[in-house]
Amino acid sequence: MESGLIHIPYMRPERSSRDTFDWALANAREADKAGFTEFMVAEHATQKWECIPTPELVIAAAAVQTERIKFAPMAHLLPHHHPADLAIQVGWLSQILEGRYFLGVGAGAYPQASYLHGITDLQNNPKRVRESLEIMERIWKREPFFHKGEYWSAGYPEEVDDGEGHDDHKLADYSPWGGKLDIAVTGLSVNSPSIRFAGERGFMPVSIYSGSSILKTHWETYEKAALEFGHTPDRSKYHVSQTVFVADTDKEAKKLAMEGGIGYAFERYLWPIWERFGMLEGYMNDVGATKADVDLEWICDNVWVVGSPETVIDKLNKLYEFTGGWGVLQVETHDYMDDPSPWFQSLQLIAQEVAPKIQLPFSSRAA
């Protein structure tokens, strides 16, 4: 298994924008040194706890402070951007990073962010995603066209040749590095339509962990759609996002998770959201629990993956056995700015002690 970070970043609301930026760069540096392979940066324009509106600023800065790790916005919310602007921005950044870049796309889940961008009805956002991608992919081909669609108008102009060899009318090439861009899509719900969309297009699926049974349906949904549309599903490219914390002992890991940034974010932000939108059911169904059973310690034991390296390896191997496994574990970052050493040690243990011990069975990969 490979290990990556997904930087949402669940910052305490009192943190400044500079704090958030600096914490992102610190995580990128530490993840790169530890041996992580990917660093995803979430995009949120309105959420105080999830406060990075422009992932590219973080990615560009982090790229010059790291050596190997690949970056991705996860995800650019396509309904919130003009596709021509985004196509140029993405293509240019992929060239600057020379292959250390891939693209995450999504429809957006927060009504406030859509409202900010002039969208009052989220129902058509999936259609906006499809139209946006169509325009972006045509721009990257650098062939003349003009698209007047349901949501956007955009095109690619003809290149002028004055017959005298002048360069002043030549068009800059902002197509992706190497001519091809890997694209990833996140999904959360049972039989997720986003995960199905990823299968249709042959994109990389990224599951936000919401229970082992739901996770199992994600791969089944993805695999079915991929085969239906002529793509080869490959579990080694499958990403799963989870809350993970590792320390030398189970007791120490549990204390640092519950009393640190993870517990703080869950008590004050994530747990109330889950209750409001019925998102605890998948976890409760996994173990036959009821709402009365749920407290922070129950969440630590049954939702997060917390413990010593040996305990975390055992937990992940059991999840692999039940779900069939995945190729990349995306560890969700949390706010440990005030004392980062336990968090950075956890990253090191995940990449160097845990990930090498989690093996994807060969039979889980499509031939």
Side-chain angles (χ1 to χ4, degrees), residues 47-357:
Q47 301 305 110
K48 187 68 174 175
W49 280 86
E50 306 175 40
C51 46
I52 296 180
T54 48
E56 268 69 20
L57 295 181
V58 171
I59 291 170
V64 299
Q65 298 183 19
T66 55
E67 297 179 2
R68 297 171 296 277
I69 201 165
K70 294 181 70 172
F71 295 92
M74 200 68 218
H76 272 318
L77 306 179
L78 299 190
H80 301 170
H81 300 275
H82 192 287
D85 288 341
L86 195 58
I88 298 303
Q89 175 181 303
V90 163
W92 189 52
L93 190 57
S94 76
Q95 291 186 25
I96 293 170
L97 269 63
E98 297 183 331
R100 292 172 56 200
Y101 180 92
F102 61 101
L103 173 64
V105 299
Y110 292 114
Q112 300 98 322
S114 289
Y115 189 90
L116 184 68
H117 293 87
I119 301 169
T120 57
D121 183 0
L122 277 63
Q123 182 177 341
N124 291 324
N125 275 4
K127 291 170 65 178
R128 292 174 185 268
V129 168
R130 291 177 183 270
E131 184 177 328
S132 178
L133 277 172
E134 177 187 348
I135 293 169
M136 293 172 68
E137 289 171 337
R138 292 183 72 180
I139 288 173
W140 290 333
K141 288 181 180 178
R142 307 186 71 241
E143 297 173 355
F145 76 94
F146 191 83
H147 173 95
K148 190 170 180 61
E150 187 174 357
Y151 303 105
W152 289 285
S153 294
Y156 196 84
E158 290 196 38
E159 192 166 60
V160 176
D161 185 350
D162 64 3
E164 298 182 9
H166 296 148
D167 293 334
D168 50 330
H169 296 298
K170 296 293 184 182
L171 299 175
D173 182 356
Y174 294 124
S175 57
W177 173 261
K180 185 180 183 301
L181 192 64
D182 288 330
I183 298 178
V185 179
T186 57
L188 172 69
S189 60
V190 179
N191 301 316
S192 165
S194 297
I195 293 293
R196 175 173 172 76
F197 174 63
E200 288 178 18
R201 297 298 304 273
F203 295 160
M204 295 186 296
V206 182
S207 292
I208 308 299
Y209 183 65
S210 54
S212 58
S213 297
I214 293 177
L215 190 62
K216 192 172 183 179
T217 72
H218 280 190
W219 179 258
E220 292 166 352
T221 298
Y222 177 81
E223 183 176 47
K224 181 180 178 181
L227 293 172
E228 182 181 340
F229 284 83
H231 305 293
T232 301
D234 184 350
R235 282 188 184 268
S236 69
K237 296 181 179 180
Y238 182 25
H239 297 58
V240 172
S241 168
Q242 287 180 288
T243 299
V244 185
F245 194 92
V246 184
D248 291 332
T249 67
D250 291 347
K251 183 178 180 180
E252 181 186 11
K254 191 169 182 176
K255 177 181 173 63
L256 290 167
M258 292 182 62
E259 298 180 7
I262 294 173
Y264 191 93
F266 270 81
E267 278 195 310
R268 291 162 177 80
Y269 181 59
L270 292 170
W271 182 5
I273 288 177
W274 288 359
E275 287 193 323
R276 191 157 66 246
F277 293 101
M279 293 165 59
L280 279 170
E281 276 73 7
Y283 305 114
M284 292 190 296
N285 291 340
D286 281 347
V287 295
T290 67
K291 191 174 179 179
D293 298 320
V294 177
D295 57 17
L296 190 64
E297 185 169 12
W298 185 94
I299 291 173
C300 180
D301 293 339
N302 294 279
V303 177
W304 310 338
V305 182
V306 170
S308 67
E310 295 76 19
T311 295
V312 171
I313 290 167
D314 182 61
K315 289 182 177 182
L316 290 174
N317 274 326
K318 286 178 179 176
L319 272 173
Y320 263 48
E321 183 179 354
F322 180 75
T323 65
W326 55 87
V328 185
L329 173 66
Q330 295 293 149
V331 178
E332 298 173 358
T333 62
H334 283 272
D335 184 347
Y336 280 80
M337 275 195 73
D338 294 335
D339 182 12
S341 55
W343 175 254
F344 291 154
Q345 183 193 23
S346 174
L347 298 186
Q348 188 175 48
L349 291 171
I350 290 167
Q352 299 175 11
E353 301 293 333
V354 174
K357 305 288 178 61

